[in-house]
């Protein structure tokens, strides 16, 4: 069966520091991968999606970036965090019509 | 424009009472429809989905939803609420020829003893 992992589970970072969140999927090949953010009172916002290695589409311009160095690995990065980057970050995968979500990373920027 | 709307940001029900969460979409072509549940500080868990097969879809934890094309709706119901149903519920839509899911704003369910 397929599983999706995210780490770290929680992260507290100062403003201006870099960020790297990692997502990996097991048990499937060539999945579509997605990064979402949930900020308080703002629902789920799609940040990036990828249909293959090195193929990244950005949905919202911001100071975040994403990379997909391997088929089942998706990384969310930032060079300098802003207070507004705080939130709950969710990774998801799909191979057909359904998206399946990871456990999430709670990021607090102070 | 294509969109998805959840009516009611908060719903409070008594234990044992009917749970009804409303979702409407706007699209000229019937999309794929999903309901997800999220418990505090956890990811989203798929409850059920409609992908153009049976219009009445049964999911996990006793939930079901009915796709009504004429009303462009996909409301979620559960006949008898349990305390463990307290969570946030999201309706999501995948429109034709799109990789992405569009999410409703979510409905928080509180269950009273």
């Amino acid at each position: 069966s397929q599983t999706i992992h995210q780490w770290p589970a929680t992260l507290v970072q100062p403003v201006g520091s870099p960020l790297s969140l990692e997502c990996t999927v097991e048990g499937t090949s060539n999945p579509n991968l997605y990064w979402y953010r949930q900020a308080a009172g703002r629902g789920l916002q799609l940040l990036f999606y990828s249909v293959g290695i090195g193929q990244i589409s950005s949905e919202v311009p911001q100071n975040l970036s994403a990379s997909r160095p391997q088929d089942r690995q998706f990384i969310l990065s930032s060079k300098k965090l802003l207070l507004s980057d705080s939130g709950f970050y969710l990774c998801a995968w799909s191979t057909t019509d359904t998206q399946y979500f990871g456990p999430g990373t709670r990021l607090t920027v102070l | 424009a294509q969109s998805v709307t959840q009516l009611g940001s908060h719903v409070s029900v008594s234990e044992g009472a009917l749970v009804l969460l409303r979702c409407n979409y706007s699209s000229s072509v019937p999309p794929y429809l999903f309901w997800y549940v999220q418990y505090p500080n956890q990811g989203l868990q798929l409850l059920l989905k409609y992908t153009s097969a049976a219009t009445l879809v049964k999911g996990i934890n006793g939930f079901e939803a009915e796709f009504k094309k004429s009303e462009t709706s996909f409301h979620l119901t559960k006949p008898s609420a349990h305390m463990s149903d307290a969570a946030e519920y999201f309706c999501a839509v995948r429109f034709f020829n799109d990789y992405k899911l569009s999410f409703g704003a979510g409905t928080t369910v509180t269950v009273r003893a």
Side-chain angles (χ1 to χ4, degrees):
Chain A
S1 64
Q2 301 88 1
T3 55
I4 178 169
H5 304 280
Q6 287 186 245
W7 63 88
T10 60
L11 192 59
V12 180
Q13 291 286 92
V15 169
S17 64
L19 173 73
S20 181
L21 303 181
E22 189 166 344
C23 170
T24 59
V25 181
E26 297 177 354
T28 187
S29 297
N30 196 30
N32 294 332
L33 296 172
Y34 310 81
W35 278 113
Y36 290 86
R37 177 170 61 199
Q38 267 185 310
R42 297 192 60 183
L44 275 150
Q45 181 184 36
L46 178 64
L47 302 175
F48 301 94
Y49 71 94
S50 171
V51 299
I53 295 174
Q55 300 179 64
I56 310 294
S57 296
S58 174
E59 290 295 303
V60 182
Q62 56 207 317
N63 70 321
L64 298 172
S65 62
S67 62
R68 185 170 177 173
Q70 300 180 41
D71 181 44
R72 290 169 290 172
Q73 185 184 29
F74 205 23
I75 296 172
L76 184 69
S77 303
S78 173
K79 292 182 179 178
K80 290 186 177 181
L81 284 168
L82 306 173
L83 286 173
S84 58
D85 292 323
S86 293
F88 193 51
Y89 288 80
L90 289 161
C91 181
W93 70 272
S94 70
T95 55
T96 56
D97 49 70
T98 304
Q99 289 186 24
Y100 299 93
F101 286 79
T105 295
R106 173 74 60 191
L107 173 65
T108 303
V109 182
L110 301 176
Chain B
Q2 297 172 327
S3 64
V4 55
T5 303
Q6 287 184 242
L7 297 177
S9 59
H10 290 87
V11 169
S12 180
V13 298
S14 297
E15 193 173 18
L18 171 72
V19 179
L20 170 61
L21 305 181
R22 301 178 185 274
C23 175
N24 288 87
Y25 68 90
S26 173
S27 173
S28 58
V29 177
Y32 294 157
L33 296 152
F34 307 84
W35 277 100
Y36 289 87
V37 60
Q38 186 179 32
Y39 300 99
N41 291 311
Q42 295 187 24
L44 275 67
Q45 181 182 8
L46 180 69
L47 276 177
L48 48 79
K49 63 180 181 181
Y50 167 77
T51 56
S52 75
T55 57
L56 182 62
V57 181
K58 294 188 182 297
I60 62 172
N61 301 340
F63 284 93
E64 64 180 36
E66 186 173 9
F67 171 67
K68 292 187 177 180
K69 183 179 178 181
S70 61
E71 299 177 8
T72 61
S73 69
F74 191 56
H75 301 332
L76 181 72
T77 60
K78 181 174 180 177
S80 177
H82 296 166
M83 298 300 290
S84 59
D85 295 326
E88 189 162 20
Y89 293 79
F90 292 92
C91 180
V93 177
R94 183 184 172 199
F95 295 107
F96 182 70
N97 265 350
D98 198 345
Y99 288 111
K100 299 168 288 186
L101 285 180
S102 296
F103 283 88
T107 299
T108 300
V109 172
T110 303
V111 182
R112 306 185 303 270

